[in-house]
Amino acid sequence: QVQLVESGGGLVQAGGSLRLSCAASGRTFSSGALAWFRQAPGKEREFVATLSWSAGSTYYANSVKGRFTISRDNTKNTVYLQMNSLKPEDTAVYYCAYAANLGGTTRPGFYDYWGQGTQVTVSS
């Protein structure tokens, strides 16, 4: 089994930056897809960004493209989400997810493992 633990969330003013981390245990990644999703109160969980571990390719939601960057550190078995130019509408709980048998997908139902989430709050 794979355990994912997110960290790095917090309170930040609009226009500021945060870097989220997702550390994995129980498995060293060699394939599959890592992704970030977010869920605001009263709304459905939505896709943010995904990374193919073996290929290193990335894909972003239009709402965050140009502001957020997903990256990896193979040595630390960790995936990151660098968030710049944050807006109040970015406020949500951010979740890290892993799909063992996919190169990447935007649908949360295809992901096998999930972290517990980390809160990001952007004030205006």
Side-chain angles (χ1 to χ4, degrees):
Q1 62 178 6
V2 176
Q3 182 179 4
L4 306 174
V5 180
E6 303 97 334
S7 62
L11 176 64
V12 64
Q13 292 185 346
S17 299
L18 286 173
R19 189 178 77 161
L20 306 183
S21 298
C22 175
S25 62
R27 187 181 190 273
T28 300
F29 296 125
S30 61
S31 61
L34 277 296
W36 289 95
F37 292 82
R38 66 187 183 186
Q39 188 166 23
K43 300 186 68 176
E44 295 183 354
R45 190 166 299 186
E46 67 173 344
F47 168 78
V48 176
T50 187
L51 179 151
S52 173
W53 193 263
S54 59
S57 57
T58 60
Y59 181 77
Y60 299 91
N62 289 334
S63 60
V64 306
K65 191 175 298 182
R67 300 189 298 121
F68 291 10
T69 303
I70 187 171
S71 62
R72 63 178 177 177
D73 188 324
N74 293 349
T75 302
K76 298 180 179 180
N77 213 38
T78 298
V79 64
Y80 304 96
L81 185 68
Q82 178 67 46
M83 305 184 294
N84 299 326
S85 301
L86 283 163
K87 306 174 181 179
E89 51 261 45
D90 295 318
T91 295
V93 176
Y94 283 71
Y95 297 91
C96 177
Y98 173 62
N101 300 314
L102 295 173
T105 180
T106 64
R107 294 181 170 87
F110 285 94
Y111 286 83
D112 304 302
Y113 302 96
W114 293 82
Q116 293 300 303
T118 184
Q119 176 71 47
V120 172
T121 303
V122 184
S123 64
S124 60

